[in-house]
Amino acid sequence: MIMKKIMLLTLTVAAILLPACQSSIKNANDRRLDARVDSVLKLMTIDEKIGQMVLYSSDWDVTGPSLNKNYIDEIRKGNCGNIFNAYTAAYTRKLQKIAVEESRLKIPLLFGYDVIHGQKTIFPISLGESCSWDLAAIEKSARVSAAEAAASGINWTFAPMVDISVDPRWGRVSEGAGEDPFLGAKIAAARVHGFQGNNLADSLSILACVKHFAAYGAPLAGRDYNTVDMSKRQFLDMYLPPYKAGIDAGAMSVMSAFNEFDGVPATGSQYLLTDVLRKQLGFKGFVVTDYTSINEMVNHGVAANEADAGLLAIKAGVDMDMQGGVYAKYLKNQLEKGLVSEKMIDESVRRILKVKFMLGLFDDPYKYCNEAREKREVYSAAHLQAALDVAKKSLVLLKNNDQTLPLNKGQKLAVIGELANSKRDLLGSWKAAGEWNDINSILDEIKIYNGTTKVLYAEGCKKMGNDRSGFPLALSVAKQADKIIMVMGEDAGWSGEAASRTDIRVPGVQTELLEKLKTLHKPIVVVLMNGRPLDLSRENDLADAILEAWFPGSMGAKAVTQVLFGNYNPSGKLTMTFPRNVGQIPIFYYEKNTGRPIYLPDPKYKSRYIDCPNDPLFPFGYGLSYTTFAYSEIKLSNHILSPDDSITASVNVTNTGTCDGEEIVQCYVRDLVGSVTRPVKELKGFEKIALKVGESKVVKFTITPDLLAFHRLDMTYGTEPGDFKLFIGGNSRDVKETGFKLVQ
Ligand code: NOJ
């Protein structure tokens, strides 16, 4: 009997390992994968199957409420097939060893982590990165992050976050790519390609997770986790494209969101997780919940208890329960009672095992646990260089009167503000394994660049609170300088998850200090660190130059310094609109015209505020350079666009300033009459070009009918014939304009 058991177990292992020898199957539809998955599935007990549907956090990092499970024991018993918040090659090896040597079936673990903008080498926050509009640089950032994560034992990142948002009160805008579906979709695809590479089995690739499905970026009043309520048309046209792009790019996992959608929490929504995700988008990977979002359906009020919430989730299409322990606790019993079928459970387990095969984990469960590689890869010179490159490209110059910037080297500078001397804040939220002790602050870098004796520093005030006792010293320091650089903004923890604000002005008494500094009549440069668009109306009045630095990452201080001194000419453009005040929110460039647009002659009865202009302080797509660019009128290859055809719109862009620079040329369209109302502008193309002083380049955009498609009155997706406007310019406001007709 004992002999028989040993033989069985040997066979078990062989059955799993055998197929893995050919683990580099790239295509999720490859039939051979199914055969391998089935060969494992048929050996599994129901407990082991449910174990694969369980994801627990280690005690290494906290990214939500703790459930205090003994995850090591659960791995050993085969009750937990996936771990998150555990990293380093050594620690993941220890856990993997328990899974593949001590659990009965020896199925390797997935190790997930929030590698959002870097593992140890931290890149700018995702919103900052998006302002580069540089898809190659963004992909590279994800690739480097994957390489460092993979070297640190991780094989799964909970990224990219692709939620569109038009509400800067919501702290999580820092994790996304801004307000625009077209740009957001391109960036989503670039990030998935970066994380997953060409082949998931490549040891430098990790599994991507498109999140948070869906519409998590539209909580009412910008309050995190709050209700989402929007029309399906708005959802499909404006919110879905980045999720779709991430899935089309091959992402093999998707995270269900915390929010409700049309009255149903996303984690229990068959519409979202089955109809849209699987049937419409053809998603082939597995769905993981967000942190305890099954359990939270009880609070939402769609399930009386956690067991019922679990039923809603599995029926909707959730394969894996993150941290909630609901599947672990109730699923077996529900199967026995006939409330769920084994087929449903098998389906989920199949999807999860398939990804484990695709990652090559059955082939070599320790492929991510190589300490020598970890030492070599993490913080390598090449990675730091990539972080510097992206950081420079992410910075957005918002104002530069009288050529206050760039600074001249050797001038006496007064650097003011707590954030100037902060290392922690440079990394932003979701800093993964990033360590601030290793990096330089903006003050450090300015001193290195300009010479310590030429840089005076005073904190002046903290980023929060109302202590003004440092004002006099800051003023006396500033008096001695030629120019003042005030670094101001938010604490890194003020954006990201659970960090919504009702007041999006610069916190504390920082702006009050700026007002005092203004009385000295010296040129003032404001460098901003923040994770969301802020109301900068006051700062815009006071400062001569404003550089938006976001939270720029490990190499961010150097990037800021290089831009301040003109070593790099800024080229970033905003991917979210900056309002004049919080009352304008939600604010975004693709608004509808309304029946009473503001340009009507009537002085009163139109869509406007009586106490503030309608337009934003800084529009979508906006950003200055140290040089200037002139745009010619637009030339169209044809003013008629036929189905199955295309037209080309070209514009000649010239560098008319005094230094070389880069410009992000943007193309927008407007569909003038539709069966449903259409936005006043929609981005349909962009290109970043480099121009030497005096140089001109022709930039061309190809317009095809599919770019003009939308959900029509009857909810079918397609185009409608008629007149369109076409705009090209350096931001969404300042554009050249022409028109064309789409015919049927
Ligand atoms: C909750 C967050 O919403 C999600 O983005 C993150 O991936 C998980 N916690 C895991 O940390």
Side-chain angles (χ1 to χ4, degrees):
M1 186 63 189
I2 290 179
M3 252 339 263
K4 216 170 165 189
K5 269 197 175 160
I6 291 175
M7 269 179 65
L8 232 177
L9 208 60
T10 317
L11 270 177
T12 306
V13 180
I16 296 171
L17 290 182
L18 183 73
C21 302
Q22 308 138 39
S23 57
S24 67
I25 291 181
K26 292 185 189 174
N27 185 347
N29 295 324
D30 193 316
R31 282 275 174 80
R32 291 170 301 169
L33 254 180
D34 292 333
R36 285 164 204 175
V37 167
D38 282 340
S39 74
V40 180
L41 195 70
K42 71 175 184 226
L43 304 169
M44 298 174 83
T45 64
I46 188 66
D47 290 310
E48 285 161 339
K49 288 179 184 175
I50 294 170
Q52 288 303 304
M53 299 167 73
V54 168
L55 168 64
Y56 286 137
S57 175
S58 85
D59 43 14
W60 270 44
D61 208 342
V62 180
T63 55
S66 171
L67 291 190
N68 295 326
K69 263 258 170 236
N70 183 344
Y71 58 93
I72 296 192
D73 241 27
E74 297 299 300
I75 296 170
R76 190 173 287 120
K77 288 193 253 164
N79 290 341
C80 169
N82 316 282
I83 290 289
F84 70 119
N85 291 339
Y87 57 92
T88 74
Y91 191 55
T92 52
R93 174 178 286 276
K94 180 180 158 192
L95 299 182
Q96 194 68 295
K97 198 161 187 278
I98 295 170
V100 299
E101 290 184 21
E102 298 181 39
S103 79
R104 190 186 78 94
L105 272 183
K106 310 180 183 339
I107 300 176
L109 296 165
L110 282 180
F111 288 101
Y113 198 40
D114 288 285
V115 183
I116 308 297
H117 53 114
Q119 168 65 7
K120 190 127 185 169
T121 300
I122 302 300
F123 286 77
I125 55 165
S126 308
L127 180 63
E129 261 189 18
S130 71
C131 293
S132 71
W133 299 52
D134 187 327
L135 300 176
I138 292 171
E139 182 170 335
K140 175 89 189 248
S141 154
R143 196 79 203 120
V144 167
S145 305
E148 289 202 357
S152 312
I154 292 151
N155 45 40
W156 181 22
T157 175
F158 301 137
M161 186 279 219
V162 305
D163 302 312
I164 293 294
S165 185
V166 294
D167 194 332
R169 291 171 298 185
W170 189 51
R172 302 202 76 171
V173 298
S174 60
E175 300 169 47
E179 72 191 39
D180 187 64
F182 181 85
L183 178 61
K186 300 273 182 217
I187 291 178
R191 289 193 167 133
V192 169
H193 285 140
F195 287 129
Q196 295 198 164
N198 291 330
N199 184 358
L200 263 184
D202 173 347
S203 62
L204 295 174
S205 293
I206 59 176
L207 170 66
C209 182
V210 169
K211 72 183 188 185
H212 308 80
F213 200 78
Y216 179 45
L220 286 178
R223 202 178 71 221
D224 205 5
Y225 318 123
N226 201 9
T227 307
V228 168
D229 195 4
M230 69 171 73
S231 71
K232 284 198 176 160
R233 187 186 320 281
Q234 177 75 354
F235 169 60
L236 295 172
D237 281 340
M238 297 313 204
Y239 286 76
L240 193 63
Y243 303 110
K244 177 178 181 330
I247 289 156
D248 289 348
M252 286 300 286
S253 74
V254 162
M255 188 183 292
S256 69
F258 285 127
N259 56 281
E260 69 170 71
F261 182 84
D262 199 12
V264 182
T267 297
S269 169
Q270 294 196 22
Y271 168 72
L272 289 180
L273 300 182
T274 299
D275 299 349
V276 178
L277 184 63
R278 296 213 179 267
K279 294 189 184 152
Q280 188 179 325
L281 304 186
F283 175 60
K284 296 279 185 280
F286 69 84
V287 174
V288 62
T289 68
D290 202 344
Y291 204 110
T292 60
S293 67
I294 298 183
N295 319 53
E296 291 166 25
M297 287 200 279
V298 176
N299 289 342
H300 273 288
V302 292
N305 50 51
E306 288 184 351
D308 286 356
L311 279 181
L312 286 178
I314 192 161
K315 288 185 179 164
V318 167
D319 302 306
M320 193 186 286
D321 174 4
M322 182 197 289
Q323 191 68 354
V326 175
Y327 282 180
K329 218 162 163 185
Y330 303 106
L331 211 48
K332 186 173 178 187
N333 185 259
Q334 288 167 334
L335 173 72
E336 283 161 5
K337 285 193 184 143
L339 297 171
V340 288
S341 66
E342 186 150 3
K343 192 164 166 269
M344 278 175 105
I345 293 174
D346 284 357
E347 215 30 65
S348 290
V349 178
R350 239 188 221 111
R351 291 173 184 141
I352 295 161
L353 291 179
K354 183 158 86 176
V355 171
K356 292 188 176 186
F357 269 111
M358 290 177 80
L359 281 165
L361 283 173
F362 283 99
D363 204 8
D364 177 6
Y366 300 111
K367 59 183 280 208
Y368 297 94
C369 313
N370 177 335
E371 279 148 293
R373 168 154 82 117
E374 186 174 27
K375 272 208 181 102
R376 212 172 48 237
E377 285 280 342
V378 171
Y379 260 168
S380 73
H383 293 177
L384 291 169
Q385 185 55 43
L388 175 62
D389 177 62
V390 180
K392 287 192 287 197
K393 292 173 170 166
S394 304
L395 305 181
V396 186
L397 184 64
L398 295 176
K399 180 176 181 183
N400 194 19
N401 279 8
D402 306 322
Q403 298 186 324
T404 307
L405 289 176
L407 302 170
N408 292 324
K409 196 171 170 172
Q411 275 186 318
K412 207 167 214 183
L413 301 174
V415 177
I416 311 287
E418 185 191 8
L419 281 169
N421 201 18
S422 164
K423 299 178 178 189
R424 165 68 188 90
D425 292 289
L426 285 165
L427 301 186
S429 70
W430 295 123
K431 51 154 203 58
E435 277 177 31
W436 57 86
N437 285 330
D438 301 347
I439 66 174
N440 280 344
S441 68
I442 292 179
L443 176 63
D444 295 334
E445 288 291 343
I446 292 180
K447 279 185 178 166
I448 293 170
Y449 199 96
N450 201 42
T452 312
T453 55
K454 296 279 187 185
V455 180
L456 306 168
Y457 174 70
E459 183 180 86
C461 63
K462 299 281 180 204
K463 48 195 167 175
M464 290 185 273
N466 54 12
D467 183 358
R468 297 169 177 84
S469 59
F471 282 17
L473 180 62
L475 285 165
S476 81
V477 160
K479 254 185 211 151
Q480 302 164 47
D482 301 315
K483 280 186 179 165
I484 301 166
I485 301 171
M486 176 144 184
V487 185
M488 58 198 297
E490 296 178 303
D491 181 276
W494 273 38
S495 54
E497 190 177 351
S500 296
R501 297 184 62 191
T502 59
D503 178 352
I504 59 162
R505 287 175 299 179
V506 174
V509 290
Q510 297 176 90
T511 307
E512 205 179 305
L513 176 56
L514 186 64
E515 281 165 352
K516 298 266 184 290
L517 293 169
K518 179 75 179 169
T519 61
L520 302 179
H521 304 293
K522 304 210 174 203
I524 302 181
V525 177
V526 161
V527 176
L528 285 163
M529 279 164 60
N530 47 295
R532 54 159 63 74
L534 293 174
D535 163 359
L536 297 175
S537 301
R538 193 72 193 115
E539 293 72 18
N540 191 41
D541 287 343
L542 297 167
D544 298 283
I546 304 179
L547 181 67
E548 175 56 83
W550 309 109
F551 294 115
S554 309
M555 298 299 283
K558 201 183 209 59
V560 167
T561 305
Q562 291 193 358
V563 167
L564 289 178
F565 287 92
N567 216 299
Y568 179 80
N569 187 355
S571 60
K573 303 263 191 182
L574 297 178
T575 56
M576 274 191 91
T577 304
F578 274 49
R580 291 178 187 275
N581 59 47
V582 79
Q584 287 186 318
I585 297 169
I587 185 165
F588 47 99
Y589 81 91
Y590 48 85
E591 63 180 6
K592 303 285 187 71
N593 202 38
T594 80
R596 293 188 174 189
I598 190 159
Y599 53 73
L600 293 180
D602 187 282
K604 181 170 168 67
Y605 295 101
K606 53 190 181 185
S607 181
R608 63 172 194 128
Y609 299 105
I610 54 172
D611 58 352
C612 173
N614 277 16
D615 67 339
L617 190 62
F618 301 115
F620 175 84
Y622 177 83
L624 302 172
S625 161
Y626 294 150
T627 190
T628 46
F629 300 100
Y631 283 69
S632 72
E633 294 303 320
I634 305 167
K635 271 196 201 144
L636 281 187
S637 60
N638 194 338
H639 285 266
I640 304 291
L641 174 59
S642 319
D644 306 321
D645 206 355
S646 65
I647 54 175
T648 306
S650 10
V651 76
N652 195 35
V653 185
T654 307
N655 181 342
T656 48
T658 51
C659 58
D660 300 347
E662 289 164 292
E663 170 72 331
I664 300 166
V665 184
Q666 302 155 42
C667 177
Y668 299 85
V669 299
R670 175 173 177 188
D671 186 348
L672 287 174
V673 180
S675 58
V676 293
T677 59
R678 308 288 297 125
V680 294
K681 265 184 199 137
E682 287 181 283
L683 184 72
K684 293 297 172 188
F686 60 89
E687 194 177 324
K688 191 170 188 172
I689 53 167
L691 289 175
K692 302 230 170 289
V693 180
E695 192 188 358
S696 295
K697 264 186 195 160
V698 174
V699 180
K700 292 185 174 175
F701 295 101
T702 305
I703 306 294
T704 47
D706 61 295
L707 279 176
L708 310 174
F710 62 99
H711 286 85
R712 299 172 287 206
L713 185 61
D714 61 2
M715 289 308 275
T716 57
Y717 184 73
T719 56
E720 287 175 348
D723 289 323
F724 285 76
K725 281 187 178 176
L726 185 141
F727 316 89
I728 298 180
N731 62 63
S732 61
R733 181 190 61 202
D734 306 312
V735 287
K736 299 286 181 186
E737 183 182 323
T738 184
F740 66 91
K741 192 185 269 302
L742 175 68
V743 294
Q744 247 171 1

